[in-house]
Amino acid sequence: MCAAWFFRAPLFSGFARVHGDPGDTRLLATLREHWWSVLRGDTAWGDPGFFHPWSGVLGYSDTFLLESVVFVPWRLLGAEPLLAAQLTVITLSVVGFAGWWAFLGRLGLVDRPWTRLGLTVLATFPHQLAQQVLHQQLLSVWWLPWTLVLGHVAWGTTSTRRRLLAVSAAGLSWGLVLSSTVYVGWFVLFVAGLLVVVLGIGELTAGRMRSAALLVRRQSVAVGAALLGFVVGLVPFALVYLPVLGDRGQRTYAEVAQFGPRPFDLLNTGGGNLLWGSLLDRVVPGDPQRLDDIEVAMAVSPFLLLVAGLVWWRMSRRNGEGPEDVGLGRRRLVGAMLLVAAVAIVLPVEWGPFSLWRGVFEVVPGAGALRVAGRLWIVAHVLVVVAIAVALASRARGIDPSTARSRHWVTALVVCLLAAEQVDLVDRASLDRGADLALVASAGSPPGWCEVMAVRGGDTSWSFIGPSVDAMRISGARGLPTVHGYSGMLAPGYPIHHDGPRYERRFTAYMRRLAIDEPVCVFDLDARQWLDEPLDVG
């Protein structure tokens, strides 16, 4: 039911429309289609066929390597790339939902099915992901619960063999996530590192470092196995991304700051939010378009934070060993998780000329490759939900019959409010699949002499990148490399702005610098036909 609502626009249109826009969504379909071509032996794995003749351009964006295990079967069943990409996302939501259900059960909510179900929904379908459906790399957070399940299996087993297998599989899985979609992979590792630091400081100040150090020593083999699995999973990362980072370097902080959330955005859940949208629309300072900016309208929902704080406050403050009272240990853990979530919420905010993220950007490895720091709030949301689950799993089941009815009503109200602030009412399926299919079909067989393709003209009414992405879609369908491209990074000197005659001059100069030897054929996007003569740049 939740997936039907989350994917309502594609489903109810019969997939005539798919989530996203004509830019990023078609790029991501092209990247996923690349692995289908690799498996068929049609292309080299590191070069998806755009930005020709530059090599290694797969590392300019997310690779979607791990998602290919879902995408490729849909292609085998006959779905064309855009449809297969949308079906892949829907399938991954099932994977995430099942993973959170399994993990929350392992935390101790097996005998509380409605609590478990509610928290599973909160973790799987937050409003942040509903807003970010065109940036589908962020949906890889749906892999996270299965890594947590493997970690929990390792923690709870007495079998050394099973523990080592589980932790190495957990490390391998997250290494593959990082190799496939950098944002979520890096953010989860960053938040996990913060949590370890906070827990370590807590143990140090409480005088329990000796027992903590003993625990680490006892688990050193398991930690080593997890790191080994992680390193193996990072092999594709090393092959794809490290050469690009070494060649192109990290971004400038100015690029990051322009996408940074401002203090107001700490409450900005977006204008389409069912619970908060209309209220925010009345009080938003300055430009109301900020409520529609999905890169900053991703605040961790206020009522969820309030509930998390109250649940933590009501946890037992006593030491205990029984199943109904796990004592101070879990309370400290939940407190540490909420503290880390609070830090993760505040870190990306640009306070005028000052931002804590600048320190992260300069010091933490990998942070310089990330352009939109506010996406960290997606992981902060998940951490808050898990903290609530840990807290609720530690509470006693007994309820005073005299207050049972009132508690049920209060619980129902809380559930409704938590659900309402995760509902995003905006229709985010703006990509017409039929129009894209018609474009690709119109580019029939290119001239027999053609070895590389380019385009001219094209519709720029939606965005200046449209013709470049058109070229990528045609290139993938026809098995020809193209000099055009669009990605998280651009080929050196590539003229991305398609703005008429000025673009033609810049593109001609760019092609002269490339000095391509192969004959380049040109597809006229306005006339929908191939030109008879090779591209001549003089």
Side-chain angles (χ1 to χ4, degrees), residues 339-356:
L339 176 60
V340 169
V343 171
I345 290 170
V346 173
L347 271 178
V349 178
E350 298 287 331
W351 305 87
F354 173 75
S355 175
L356 293 171

Side-chain angles (χ1 to χ4, degrees), residues 95-110 116 120 123 144-153 155 333 337 382-383 385-387 389-390 393:
V95 172
F97 191 94
W100 284 118
W101 176 261
F103 178 65
L104 295 177
R106 295 192 65 86
L107 286 184
L109 296 175
V110 172
R116 184 181 178 188
T120 298
L144 174 59
W146 289 107
T147 301
L148 297 177
V149 166
L150 289 168
H152 198 274
V153 168
W155 181 263
L333 174 60
M337 294 169 75
V382 169
L383 185 61
V385 174
V386 174
V390 174

Side-chain angles (χ1 to χ4, degrees), residues 170-190:
L172 174 65
S173 67
W174 208 250
L176 289 174
V177 170
L178 188 58
S179 295
S180 304
T181 49
V182 175
Y183 269 98
V184 169
W186 190 92
F187 282 144
V188 168
L189 289 178
F190 177 68

Side-chain angles (χ1 to χ4, degrees), residues 157-318:
T157 186
T158 57
S159 167
T160 301
R161 181 173 178 272
R162 192 181 185 201
R163 178 184 299 112
L164 295 181
L165 284 174
V167 296
S168 59
L172 174 65
S173 67
W174 208 250
L176 289 174
V177 170
L178 188 58
S179 295
S180 304
T181 49
V182 175
Y183 269 98
V184 169
W186 190 92
F187 282 144
V188 168
L189 289 178
F190 177 68
V191 168
L194 286 180
L195 184 58
V196 169
V197 169
V198 169
L199 289 172
I201 293 174
E203 295 299 295
L204 177 63
T205 56
R208 293 187 298 270
M209 279 304 293
R210 180 174 296 180
S211 60
L214 180 61
L215 175 64
V216 171
R217 283 199 298 271
R218 287 175 178 172
Q219 301 297 329
S220 59
V221 175
V223 171
L227 289 175
L228 178 60
F230 181 67
V231 169
V232 172
L234 279 183
V235 169
F237 182 95
L239 295 175
V240 172
Y241 292 116
L242 292 186
V244 172
L245 292 174
D247 180 51
R248 306 292 302 278
Q250 68 177 19
R251 304 178 186 277
T252 65
Y253 190 75
E255 293 180 76
V256 178
Q258 67 176 328
F259 292 101
R262 301 300 188 262
F264 165 76
D265 296 315
L266 289 168
L267 298 174
N268 186 3
T269 55
N273 187 273
L274 176 61
L275 185 61
W276 302 108
S278 59
L279 175 62
L280 289 171
D281 192 45
R282 295 188 186 97
V283 302
V284 60
D287 185 4
Q289 294 300 316
R290 192 146 189 97
L291 295 179
D292 299 323
D293 186 348
I294 61 172
E295 300 296 16
V296 296
M298 291 187 293
V300 179
S301 40
F303 190 65
L304 179 68
L305 292 174
L306 176 62
V307 170
L310 290 175
V311 169
W312 170 77
W313 183 257
R314 289 179 59 83
M315 289 184 72
S316 173
R317 293 172 172 80
R318 296 174 296 161

